[in-house]
């Protein structure tokens, strides 16, 4: 069924409660490249229960729920992740119970044959205290759903403007080789979209083979920032944002370029094999 703009904005997605354990936290860290060197003492606290720490981007998977997506009318075979913003109000504990409330903020019609953009907000709160922990803002590019008759938008009234990368050489860089089965591990964190596992499904979506989850690439970049800028202290991160610009095929090498300007960290990720930028306009805000 096609998108019906007014109905989509009125869609009431019930609040849900989720529990995550130290196992989930460690699996996520392993799935975004942590612990590749088992002798790396700096990364051990992310993959070992003794003194366990949670990466802030763990928030993108611990309340994963796409059961409501068929109600939107969007053709999810043709969907790709556009941008992801993570605002950390309070650092995530390595295990706990949370409540998640999803709402669709808006949908932008780019026109027939040009797709549509949907903004989705997910607020995560501590299930016991009600304290807000993280706000996620996701931009989804629905390649097959343009021309549904959505209202026109004036310039500046659409999705948030992307962060501008500094016009100078990076201050640091972190390289991570993904594994050929990286997507098969990462999908166990929550997102089981067959695009990342089934060759036939990937081909139907226009890809020669399954691609890595965009949020897995995102997690690799967050790992790089935590390593290069935060001295492996994830609690220093208050906000993360980036735009997905190209797919990664499992087995390729992600190099994250990093710029530091006070409490603002800019980053961009590219593939060494193809010299393709896969994450752009990356920004991390550090706590003062």
């Amino acid at each position: 069924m096609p998108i019906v703009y007014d109905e989509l904005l009125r869609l009431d997605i019930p609040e849900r409660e989720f529990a995550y354990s130290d196992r989930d936290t460690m699996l996520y860290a392993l799935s975004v490249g942590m612990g590749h060197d088992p002798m790396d003492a700096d990364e051990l606290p992310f993959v070992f229960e003794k003194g366990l720490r949670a990466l802030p981007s763990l928030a993108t998977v611990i309340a994963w729920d796409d059961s409501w997506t068929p109600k939107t009318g969007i053709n999810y075979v043709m969907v790709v992740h556009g941008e992801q913003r993570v605002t950390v109000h309070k650092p995530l504990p390595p295990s706990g119970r949370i409540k998640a409330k999803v709402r669709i903020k808006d949908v932008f019609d780019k026109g027939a044959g040009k797709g549509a953009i949907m903004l989705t907000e997910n607020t995560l709160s501590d299930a016991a205290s009600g304290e807000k922990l993280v706000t996620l803002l996701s931009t989804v590019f629905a390649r097959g759903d343009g021309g549904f008759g959505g209202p026109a938008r004036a310039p500046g009234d659409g999705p948030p403007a992307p962060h501008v990368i500094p016009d100078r050489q990076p201050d640091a860089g972190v390289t991570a080789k993904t594994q050929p089965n990286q997507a098969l591990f990462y999908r166990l964190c929550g997102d089981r979209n067959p695009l990342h596992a089934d060759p036939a499904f990937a081909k139907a979506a226009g890809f020669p083979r399954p691609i890595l989850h965009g949020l897995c690439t995102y997690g690799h970049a967050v790992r790089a920032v935590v390593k290069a800028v935060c001295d492996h202290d994830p609690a220093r991160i208050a906000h993360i944002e980036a735009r997905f610009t190209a797919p990664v095929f499992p087995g390729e090498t992600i190099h994250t370029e990093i710029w530091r300007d006070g409490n603002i960290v800019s980053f961009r990720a590219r593939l060494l094999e193809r010299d393709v930028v896969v994450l752009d306009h990356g920004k991390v805000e550090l706590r003062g």
Side-chain angles (χ1 to χ4, degrees):
M1 64 180 179
I3 292 174
V4 179
Y5 181 79
D6 292 337
E7 291 183 8
L8 189 55
L9 292 190
R10 288 197 301 266
L11 184 63
D12 183 18
I13 303 168
E15 183 178 67
R16 289 193 59 186
E17 184 169 322
F18 298 84
Y20 67 100
S21 68
D22 60 350
R23 181 182 182 277
D24 299 306
T25 299
M26 290 184 281
L27 175 62
Y28 175 77
L30 289 166
S31 298
V32 298
M34 283 286 190
H36 185 79
D37 177 2
M39 297 300 291
D40 186 339
D42 291 325
E43 292 196 349
L44 190 61
F46 295 89
V47 296
F48 180 48
E49 58 270 20
K50 185 178 179 180
L52 185 62
R53 299 175 180 176
L55 285 168
S57 49
L58 173 68
T60 62
V61 299
I62 54 174
W64 188 267
D65 175 25
D66 56 4
S67 62
W68 53 271
T69 57
K71 300 177 183 179
T72 65
I74 288 175
N75 178 5
Y76 268 81
V77 174
M78 299 296 289
V79 159
V80 293
H81 207 149
E83 296 183 5
Q84 181 66 56
R85 297 178 180 231
V86 178
T87 301
V88 183
H89 308 291
K90 183 179 180 181
L92 286 172
S95 62
R97 290 186 305 112
I98 59 172
K99 289 185 177 180
K101 177 59 178 174
V102 177
R103 72 183 182 99
I104 296 172
K105 292 192 67 175
D106 214 336
V107 187
F108 307 101
D109 189 350
K110 295 175 68 67
K114 298 180 180 179
I117 295 175
M118 182 171 73
L119 301 184
T120 305
E121 183 183 81
N122 190 2
T123 303
L124 309 185
S125 304
D126 181 86
S129 68
E131 185 177 17
K132 188 159 63 172
L133 299 174
V134 178
T135 299
L136 308 170
L137 181 63
S138 303
T139 301
V140 170
F141 180 35
R143 296 177 294 159
D145 292 288
F148 62 88
R153 285 296 188 274
D157 194 28
H163 173 66
V164 178
I165 298 294
D167 185 19
R168 67 174 193 269
Q169 288 297 308
D171 299 316
V174 177
T175 301
K177 174 77 172 177
T178 67
Q179 302 303 308
N181 58 357
Q182 194 91 47
L184 299 179
F185 278 105
Y186 185 85
R187 69 191 301 270
L188 299 180
C189 296
D191 183 359
R192 298 199 179 190
N193 186 333
L195 175 63
H196 310 292
D198 184 349
F201 190 96
K203 186 176 181 180
F207 298 101
R209 57 192 174 101
I211 63 175
L212 195 63
H213 303 67
L215 282 175
C216 185
T217 305
Y218 189 91
H220 273 80
V222 172
R223 170 197 173 231
V225 171
V226 168
K227 178 183 181 69
V229 177
C230 300
D231 195 26
H232 291 90
D233 180 5
R236 294 186 60 193
I237 293 181
H239 177 81
I240 314 161
E241 61 184 71
R243 174 174 291 183
F244 304 97
T245 52
V248 176
F249 294 106
E252 294 185 306
T253 306
I254 302 170
H255 179 71
T256 304
E257 303 166 322
I258 297 169
W259 293 260
R260 176 76 184 269
D261 295 286
N263 285 337
I264 300 299
V265 177
S266 304
F267 66 91
R268 179 170 57 207
R270 67 173 68 245
L271 298 178
L272 295 187
E273 291 85 353
R274 294 188 278 134
D275 193 27
V276 173
V277 174
V278 294
L279 279 181
D280 206 352
H281 305 291
K283 176 185 176 183
V284 169
E285 295 177 16
L286 303 177
R287 300 186 189 280

